[in-house]
Amino acid sequence: MAYEEPKNVLISSEEIQLRVRELAQEIERDYAADAQLHLISVLKGAFIFLGDLVRSMNRQVSLDFMAVSSYGKSTTSSGEVRVLKDLDSGLEGRNVIIVEDIVDTGLTLAYLQEILHARSPKSLKTACLLSKPSRRVVDVKVDYIGFTIEDRFVVGYGLDYAEQYRNLPYLATLD
Ligand code: IMP
């Protein structure tokens, strides 16, 4: 099948870059008094967000990655969360921020927060590029939100549909 680039731009590359820089500054301010900050990115969707976020930060930061199961080829949540790749190092006594692409039902994030909290970090916060509040089935706290969007399936800037479109520099809707 020929590759077709989605044309329904929801959030432009320029808007994303601006907002990600704002979030980076907000995080820098909030952790100004802390020598150490550890960002945990959830693969694969958050990899571009994390890359841009950390490059906008002018401070010490360490990174780790986790992979959890997501939708696969479907555009509706299965509600199932499985850890496919765990972290390389422990979290005890560290200031941790979970960096996620999107909080939809909240099931993935609620699960992640629970298992990471159990590893005794000094603090645990969450940064999400996107939030779809109308889809929430569990009440989950997100400390930093890039954009609040309606219930649309979005791709680009790390987010995929069946592993496609992650490389788009903007966010587009598919439905
Ligand atoms: P939740 O557990 O329902 O909050 O879903 C979280 C995960 O579902 C995200 O990390 C994404 O991988 C995926 N997801 C949810 N909505 C979208 C979307 O609009 N586009 C692409 N992936 C999505």
Side-chain angles (χ1 to χ4, degrees):
M1 198 176 77
Y3 176 77
E4 235 186 280
E5 187 167 312
K7 306 205 170 43
N8 312 322
V9 178
L10 183 70
I11 306 173
S12 72
S13 168
E14 291 75 18
E15 284 175 277
I16 298 170
Q17 293 305 324
L18 211 67
R19 185 68 188 123
V20 171
R21 276 201 293 275
E22 283 174 2
L23 288 178
Q25 283 167 8
E26 208 180 317
I27 293 170
E28 270 191 78
R29 273 198 303 274
D30 291 352
Y31 291 86
D34 297 287
Q36 160 281 322
L37 180 61
H38 192 56
L39 301 193
I40 292 175
S41 175
V42 185
L43 295 170
K44 302 169 195 169
F47 83 106
I48 293 183
F49 176 38
L50 177 83
D52 282 345
L53 192 68
V54 293
R55 282 182 297 176
S56 299
M57 282 184 191
N58 188 18
R59 59 155 296 139
Q60 178 281 336
V61 66
S62 53
L63 307 177
D64 205 346
F65 296 90
M66 207 166 182
V68 298
S69 59
S70 69
Y71 291 2
K73 289 187 166 61
S74 152
T75 53
T76 53
S77 177
S78 62
E80 275 176 43
V81 180
R82 259 188 322 135
V83 174
L84 306 174
K85 183 221 171 284
D86 208 338
L87 301 172
D88 290 337
S89 61
L91 302 181
E92 212 173 318
R94 301 171 101 167
N95 294 305
V96 175
I97 302 181
I98 302 170
V99 179
E100 252 286 36
D101 52 356
I102 185 164
V103 51
D104 187 30
T105 63
L107 289 167
T108 311
L109 193 55
Y111 175 79
L112 276 175
Q113 288 179 346
E114 192 186 317
I115 62 166
L116 298 185
H117 183 72
R119 298 180 189 188
S120 309
K122 183 178 167 196
S123 64
L124 182 65
K125 285 193 181 182
T126 304
C128 284
L129 178 71
L130 300 167
S131 173
K132 288 186 205 171
S134 64
R135 294 258 310 157
R136 215 69 99 241
V137 299
V138 285
D139 191 20
V140 66
K141 188 175 181 220
V142 185
D143 305 274
Y144 306 99
I145 295 176
F147 303 93
T148 297
I149 60 168
E150 286 172 22
D151 182 14
R152 307 287 299 276
F153 195 83
V154 293
V155 295
Y157 198 71
L159 288 102
D160 76 311
Y161 171 68
E163 292 302 326
Q164 283 191 86
Y165 311 123
R166 292 194 196 275
N167 58 320
L168 296 175
Y170 55 89
L171 284 152
T173 52
L174 273 195
D175 47 12

